[in-house]
């Protein structure tokens, strides 16, 4: 078994050779918690959750770090316009840190709803100011950074001092636009970007820290380099994030970490974005879809399946019918698993073809084709009154490693899952007792009574299926 991933830096698929055998250390850029997430954010979380689960299945000890950018210009601006109840319950301007934490929790709930496992560590930028000082000082000492020429308190990365600048996105410095993150008068070159941002008039006192270069706050790119280094070491395996972060964010992370003398990431993995009917989702167009809106339309199972079914590098194009199609596909799998409960085994292995697809740059579409093919074969056996022992075990293993299992309602057997949790529980409980009564009748060879129960259930739209491992039931479509 050899895992292969597409590395954006070299633009090629390469064998995955970890820095330390048996370990996989991954950093991916998390949210700037300025507002509620849209599904593009959640897709990124889902992709790296799928990757992490697969590496774990393949025996790697995974350390996954996802940062929270809890201070930046937009957070400060949004907090000025946000009013929330204060200590006394009166509406007052929400402090930036309160707004950041409020939206961090909204992100957390969206991830949790879709069974995106929490990362190993989730560092916040504001908790790592000393690490950022150390990195900035190191860059200054090595001749790759300098305090602003205009005394603003900014510190910039000196792009022209680093000949490899542009290597991640294969651009020439001469072709690049200026970095629009500060007054260019303080810079040696307009493309230099801020590592540290001097405090400005009108900003809250709590939004800046004393530093050797004056009061200020961290630049966005620097945070990620400092936190990745702290939690994963100077050289680690995979750096990920959405495709829109490649430039300037990831290019700058790479430049400042390498210029500081660190190896940084061996692989760069970028997930594709989510479009809305062929158009890029954006606040200005007003076509943003949020996880909360999706959760009004479909179960978490359906949303996770939908967002996770495409290849991670492709664009996912959301259309109003998308969730309906995903629902039909994933509930077919759920119904099959619900009908074969007694055949699931915790130690079951995924089929070879599924594993090969996942090893090959996380080819989920190909892996899902194997999943659906096994479900179809299993349903064929059920229809012929045979026990799909191998199919059920394999489907169970695949669904588990895809992170779908915990979102399935195997007691409610899929088709019944549109009811409330309370209704489903009541139905499952009634069905348990009815099937027990029917089993007892069959054991007592009271066929008339057993058939009576079966017929009554059929009238209620419920089919009962018997196999060597016991009886199961499902709602008729
Ligand atoms: Zn980052």
């Amino acid at each position: 078994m050899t895992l292969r991933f597409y590395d954006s830096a070299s633009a090629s698929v390469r064998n995955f050779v970890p820095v330390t055998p048996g370990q996989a250390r991954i950093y991916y850029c998390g949210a700037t918690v300025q507002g509620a997430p849209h599904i593009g954010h959640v897709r990124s979380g889902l992709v790296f959750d799928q990757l992490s689960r697969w590496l774990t299945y393949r025996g790697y000890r995974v350390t996954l770090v996802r940062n929270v950018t809890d201070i930046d210009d937009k957070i400060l601006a949004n907090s000025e316009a946000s009013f929330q109840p204060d200590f006394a319950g009166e509406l007052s301007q929400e402090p930036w840190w309160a707004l950041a934490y409020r939206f961090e929790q909204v992100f957390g709930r969206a991830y949790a709803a879709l069974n995106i496992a929490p990362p190993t560590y989730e560092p916040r930028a504001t908790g790592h100011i000393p690490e950022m000082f150390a990195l900035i000082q190191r860059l200054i000492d090595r001749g790759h950074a300098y305090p602003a020429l205009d005394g603003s308190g900014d510190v910039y990365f000196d792009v022209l001092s680093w000949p490899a600048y542009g290597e991640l996105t294969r651009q020439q410095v001469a072709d690049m636009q200026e970095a629009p993150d500060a007054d260019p008068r303080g810079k040696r070159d307009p493309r230099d970007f801020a590592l540290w941002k001097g405090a400005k008039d009108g900003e809250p006192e709590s939004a800046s820290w004393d530093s050797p270069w004056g009061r200020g706050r961290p630049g966005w790119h620097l945070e990620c380099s400092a936190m990745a280094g702290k939690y994963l070491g100077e050289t680690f395996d995979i750096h990920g994030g959405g495709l829109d972060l490649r430039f300037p964010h990831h290019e700058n992370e790479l430049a400042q970490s390498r210029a500081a003398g660190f190896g940084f990431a061996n692989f760069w993995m970028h997930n594709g974005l989510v479009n809305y009917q062929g158009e890029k989702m954006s606040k200005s167009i007003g076509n943003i879809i949020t996880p909360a809106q999706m959760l009004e339309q479909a179960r978490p199972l359906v949303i996770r399946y939908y967002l996770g079914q495409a290849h991670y590098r492709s664009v996912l194009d959301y259309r109003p019918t998308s969730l309906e199609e995903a629902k039909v596909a994933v509930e077919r799998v759920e119904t099959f698993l619900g009908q074969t409960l007694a055949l699931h085994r915790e130690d079951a292995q995924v089929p070879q073809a599924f594993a090969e697809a996942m090893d090959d740059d996380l080819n989920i579409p190909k892996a899902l084709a194997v999943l659906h093919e096994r479900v179809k074969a299993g349903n064929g056996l059920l229809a012929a009154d045979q026990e799909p022992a191998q199919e059920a075990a394999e489907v169970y293993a695949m669904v588990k490693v895809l992170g779908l299992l915990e979102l399935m309602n195997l007691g409610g057997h899929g088709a019944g899952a549109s009811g409330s949790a309370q209704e489903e529980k009541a139905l499952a409980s009634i069905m348990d007792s009815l099937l027990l009564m029917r089993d007892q009748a069959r054991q007592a060879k009271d066929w008339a009574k057993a058939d009576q129960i079966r017929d009554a259930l059929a009238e209620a739209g419920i089919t009962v299926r018997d196999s060597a491992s016991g009886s199961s039931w499902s709602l008729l479509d």
Side-chain angles (χ1 to χ4, degrees):
M1 138 206 135
T2 309
L3 280 86
R4 295 173 301 281
F5 297 124
Y6 179 83
D7 169 32
S8 312
S10 61
S12 62
V13 176
R14 294 166 40 215
N15 286 349
F16 178 65
V17 181
V19 176
T20 308
Q23 294 184 17
R25 300 204 292 269
I26 308 169
Y27 184 97
Y28 79 95
C29 296
T32 298
V33 283
Q34 56 173 339
H38 60 68
I39 56 173
H41 295 116
V42 176
R43 185 187 187 196
S44 189
L46 178 53
V47 162
F48 292 98
D49 185 53
Q50 290 173 323
L51 173 68
S52 165
R53 286 171 190 267
W54 183 246
L55 286 165
T56 303
Y57 181 86
R58 278 309 205 187
Y60 291 94
R61 188 180 160 78
V62 176
T63 303
L64 183 67
V65 177
R66 176 183 68 211
N67 67 300
V68 178
T69 298
D70 60 344
I71 187 157
D72 96 331
D73 291 344
K74 291 187 210 88
I75 292 172
L76 294 178
N78 289 352
S79 97
E80 271 188 36
S82 173
F83 291 84
Q84 293 284 322
D86 63 12
F87 296 124
E90 306 287 332
L91 276 191
S92 63
Q93 195 206 311
E94 187 178 28
W96 63 269
W97 42 266
L99 178 131
Y101 184 56
R102 183 160 60 86
F103 286 117
E104 185 185 321
Q105 288 181 305
V106 177
F107 271 85
R109 282 196 292 273
Y111 292 133
L114 301 183
N115 198 32
I116 294 169
T120 319
Y121 308 115
E122 190 165 25
R124 296 188 187 121
T126 54
H128 296 78
I129 303 291
E131 287 84 350
M132 298 183 208
F133 287 172
L135 183 54
I136 294 171
Q137 192 59 55
R138 197 177 160 96
L139 287 167
I140 293 175
D141 293 345
R142 294 167 75 99
H144 297 298
Y146 61 94
L149 310 175
D150 61 359
S152 61
D154 292 356
V155 181
Y156 300 116
F157 183 84
D158 187 342
V159 164
L160 296 178
S161 78
W162 186 244
Y165 189 70
E167 62 183 318
L168 181 68
T169 47
R170 292 176 294 284
Q171 300 185 73
Q172 300 297 318
V173 174
D175 302 332
M176 289 182 193
Q177 307 275 315
E178 59 187 68
D181 60 355
D183 186 336
R185 282 174 303 183
K187 298 182 177 184
R188 290 180 188 163
D189 185 281
R191 289 159 294 203
D192 292 350
F193 58 89
L195 304 174
W196 185 254
K197 296 179 160 188
K200 293 184 188 69
D201 288 344
E203 288 180 356
E205 178 77 8
S206 61
S208 56
W209 289 259
D210 282 324
S211 85
W213 315 283
R215 253 189 111 70
R217 58 188 158 91
W220 174 36
H221 317 304
L222 186 83
E223 295 168 16
C224 285
S225 286
M227 294 190 283
K230 172 167 180 176
Y231 294 97
L232 298 176
E234 293 183 2
T235 305
F236 55 94
D237 299 301
I238 297 170
H239 192 310
L243 195 60
D244 51 341
L245 297 180
R246 281 172 77 228
F247 189 86
H249 184 51
H250 288 167
E251 188 73 70
N252 292 354
E253 278 188 45
L254 179 63
Q256 66 207 0
S257 294
R258 287 262 169 96
F262 307 139
F264 212 50
N266 279 344
F267 278 82
W268 287 84
M269 290 176 72
H270 289 103
N271 64 275
L273 306 180
V274 184
N275 281 357
Y276 181 80
Q277 304 204 66
E279 250 187 315
K280 185 180 187 277
M281 270 194 207
S282 90
K283 277 214 175 96
S284 54
I285 303 175
N287 60 356
I288 298 268
I289 308 275
T290 67
Q293 285 168 326
M294 270 196 164
L295 283 164
E296 283 169 15
Q297 295 173 46
R299 302 164 57 198
L301 171 68
V302 173
I303 300 170
R304 180 171 174 116
Y305 180 87
Y306 166 67
L307 289 175
Q309 67 184 344
H311 194 280
Y312 77 91
R313 285 199 275 133
S314 64
V315 173
L316 186 63
D317 190 28
Y318 179 80
R319 289 169 190 279
T321 52
S322 300
L323 287 175
E324 198 47 47
E325 289 158 11
K327 180 177 189 290
V328 170
V330 75
E331 287 188 347
R332 193 181 297 132
V333 180
E334 186 184 40
T335 302
F336 173 71
L337 280 178
Q339 287 172 337
T340 54
L341 285 178
L343 302 173
H344 305 164
R345 297 199 323 267
E346 283 307 319
D347 61 347
Q349 298 291 304
V350 303
Q352 182 68 20
F354 179 94
E356 281 169 10
M358 294 294 278
D359 285 348
D360 183 14
D361 194 29
L362 219 61
N363 192 335
I364 296 227
K366 214 168 160 185
L368 286 177
V370 177
L371 173 71
H372 290 295
E373 178 266 312
R374 288 297 197 277
V375 170
K376 194 174 169 200
N379 279 332
L381 288 170
L382 284 177
D385 274 335
Q386 289 173 37
E387 194 169 80
Q390 191 181 345
E391 288 78 5
E394 286 178 344
V395 169
Y396 181 81
M398 290 185 274
V399 161
K400 196 167 139 189
V401 80
L402 290 170
L404 296 167
L405 184 66
E406 292 87 345
L407 298 174
M408 286 188 167
N409 184 348
L410 301 184
H413 301 244
S418 51
S420 75
Q422 201 183 358
E423 285 168 4
E424 283 166 30
K425 219 173 141 189
L427 179 62
S429 160
I430 291 168
M431 285 307 301
D432 284 348
S433 9
L434 281 173
L435 289 182
L436 182 66
M437 280 164 66
R438 186 166 162 274
D439 280 348
Q440 284 166 349
R442 277 153 58 95
Q443 273 168 28
K445 298 200 184 341
D446 185 349
W447 307 117
K449 188 172 177 189
D451 287 347
Q452 193 190 354
I453 294 173
R454 184 182 193 137
D455 294 345
L457 289 173
E459 265 207 53
I462 294 168
T463 54
V464 176
R465 214 182 279 279
D466 299 308
S467 74
S469 52
S471 305
S472 62
W473 62 276
S474 60
L475 292 176
L476 295 167
D477 272 326

